[in-house]
Amino acid sequence: MKILHDLTLNELKSEMESLALKMPRYRAEQIFEWLTNYASFEEMTNIPIELRETLINNYIAKPVQIEKELISKDGTRKFLFSLSDGNTVEGVLMSYKYGNTICISTQCGCRMGCAFCATGIDGLARNLTAGEMLAEVLAVNKHIGGSKADRKITNIVLMGCGEPLDNYDNVIKFIKLISDKNGLNISQRNISLSTCGLADKIKKLADENLGITLTISLHASTDEQRKKIMKVAGAYSLKELFFAIKYYFEKTKRRIVFEYIELDMNTNPEDAKRIKELCKGLSYHFNLIPLNSTPKTNEIPALKPATKQKQSEFWENLKEQNISATTRRTLGSDIDGACGQLRRSTLNSKA
Ligand code: SAH
Ligand code: SF4
């Protein structure tokens, strides 16, 4: 069964024509509108019943279902989504004064194997299609009372399960679908993509001319440190990574955001100096993140967290170097807040 959310409006028009039903082209527009409102085929009341039946028999209208919802004390909501083949992924909704940001998944699992991350533990099950990513956003938009006309989701971060640049073509199509004026029409400026640093794909992304923000999971200031916790550091050195980041910056002029887990090994005064040197020529910001512990994190010496004292000294060191940095609130830490943890705890309880 095909997922209709995978299609652009023009593709949907051709698809409907291929059904050889005598159907005026505006039907595709009506269906596209219903899909954007995350309606089921049964709900598409202005579509003739005969066509609705053909759709029911051949296509999936809702490729993502909200299987579980956990609401944190701070209001952050975490979703476990089930996909039509039974796989699950996670999403997180964060509400701010200016709007609602949804963090969505791009893959079931991940093959990058970062030592600190729960998503990567079992490797990659499969990529999400563009339509499944779109459906994560549309399902939650509807769930919180939004629609196409009254959009409740304002910002999107690709920071849930998976490495977005390892599912490149589907992610690019998703960004085009979600920012399409016929769809939810979310500005590309309000979309961030977080990557562990696939340098060749970062360069390719720069050439797409999208207005999105690039976020880099850096977590280290030397190759030696990085290799201890991120397999991808063996494939791309920091030199290659920063060459690609600078290319992205030159092309887009968008401020680069870095994610940096504060560990004992990467928060020394020399780290702040090295960061300054690496980022020369960029406009950038650092998000300092406390390590969320997973079953594996306690076993790896390189993942010893920085003490509170060390964190505040590092903060001073960054300030001295004029590096803009904020410590990220640990949103929803009472609800398996970190990437991949809800999915894993559900997998474990099912096992
Ligand atoms: N694959 C992409 C996006 C998904 S991971 C990436 O790596 O950037 C989203 C973010 O969660 C990344 O910054 C990642 O480094 C961080 N993360 C994963 N596990 C974590 C943990 N246990 N504690 C803190 N941050 C974690
Ligand atoms: Fe994959 Fe990102 Fe987790 Fe690394 S941190 S294993 S790249 S999801």
Side-chain angles (χ1 to χ4, degrees), residues 10 26 55 57 69 76 108 132 145 186 251 276 328 342:
N10 273 335
Y26 70 81
L55 294 176
N57 292 331
E69 178 182 11
T76 303
C108 304
E132 287 174 321
I186 292 182
K251 275 250 149 168
K276 181 80 180 179
R328 193 159 83 186
L342 175 61

Side-chain angles (χ1 to χ4, degrees), residues 114-282:
C114 303
F116 43 81
C117 176
T119 302
I121 294 178
D122 295 319
L124 176 69
R126 72 165 172 89
N127 283 329
L128 262 63
T129 72
E132 287 174 321
M133 293 177 232
L134 179 64
E136 292 178 68
V137 182
L138 298 177
V140 172
N141 187 51
K142 182 176 186 176
H143 182 71
I144 59 172
S147 63
K148 179 182 170 190
D150 180 20
R151 196 182 52 212
K152 297 280 190 245
I153 305 279
T154 51
N155 297 68
I156 294 178
V157 295
L158 300 175
M159 217 190 239
C161 304
E163 167 49 50
L165 296 184
D166 191 37
N167 183 13
Y168 189 88
D169 293 341
N170 290 332
V171 164
I172 298 297
K173 183 157 192 195
F174 160 73
I175 293 167
K176 289 181 178 161
L177 286 170
I178 195 77
S179 54
D180 186 338
K181 62 180 182 344
N182 296 302
L184 211 55
N185 193 15
I186 292 182
S187 161
Q188 293 183 353
R189 302 206 157 264
N190 293 349
I191 302 175
S192 296
L193 180 153
S194 176
T195 175
C196 65
L198 303 179
D200 54 341
K201 297 286 170 52
I202 292 172
K203 281 191 242 162
K204 197 169 166 198
L205 184 67
D207 291 330
E208 304 277 352
N209 288 319
L210 304 170
I212 63 170
T213 298
L214 180 66
T215 300
I216 305 288
S217 295
L218 188 63
H219 307 323
S221 74
T222 66
D223 287 320
E224 198 194 355
Q225 283 174 359
R226 205 163 189 257
K227 279 183 190 163
K228 287 186 184 152
I229 53 172
M230 297 176 81
K231 272 198 326 208
V232 67
Y236 301 101
S237 64
L238 284 175
K239 195 170 167 211
E240 289 165 306
L241 176 57
F242 273 85
F243 189 80
I245 296 170
K246 283 174 190 170
Y247 181 72
Y248 188 91
F249 179 70
E250 282 312 312
K251 275 250 149 168
T252 63
K253 298 291 175 212
R254 304 278 298 158
R255 187 176 75 153
I256 306 292
V257 177
F258 291 98
E259 304 275 307
Y260 202 84
I261 299 178
E262 289 184 288
L263 302 170
D264 184 57
M265 70 161 180
N266 67 3
T267 49
N268 298 300
E270 307 81 69
D271 291 298
K273 286 187 196 142
R274 283 192 289 257
I275 287 171
K276 181 80 180 179
E277 194 58 33
L278 284 167
C279 295
K280 228 183 215 164
L282 292 175

Side-chain angles (χ1 to χ4, degrees), residues 48-64:
I49 197 114
E50 167 204 4
L51 173 57
R52 264 191 271 159
E53 267 161 23
T54 310
L55 294 176
I56 289 169
N57 292 331
N58 293 284
Y59 301 99
I60 297 170
K62 292 186 165 192
V64 163

Side-chain angles (χ1 to χ4, degrees), residues 31-77:
I31 296 168
F32 199 80
E33 172 125 11
W34 283 115
L35 291 171
T36 307
N37 282 322
Y38 216 56
S40 63
F41 291 129
E42 289 79 4
E43 287 171 296
M44 301 185 181
T45 44
N46 58 358
I47 307 295
I49 197 114
E50 167 204 4
L51 173 57
R52 264 191 271 159
E53 267 161 23
T54 310
L55 294 176
I56 289 169
N57 292 331
N58 293 284
Y59 301 99
I60 297 170
K62 292 186 165 192
V64 163
Q65 306 281 350
I66 297 175
E67 171 121 357
K68 221 187 223 183
E69 178 182 11
L70 299 177
I71 303 180
S72 161
K73 287 189 217 99
D74 62 22
T76 303
R77 301 185 189 198

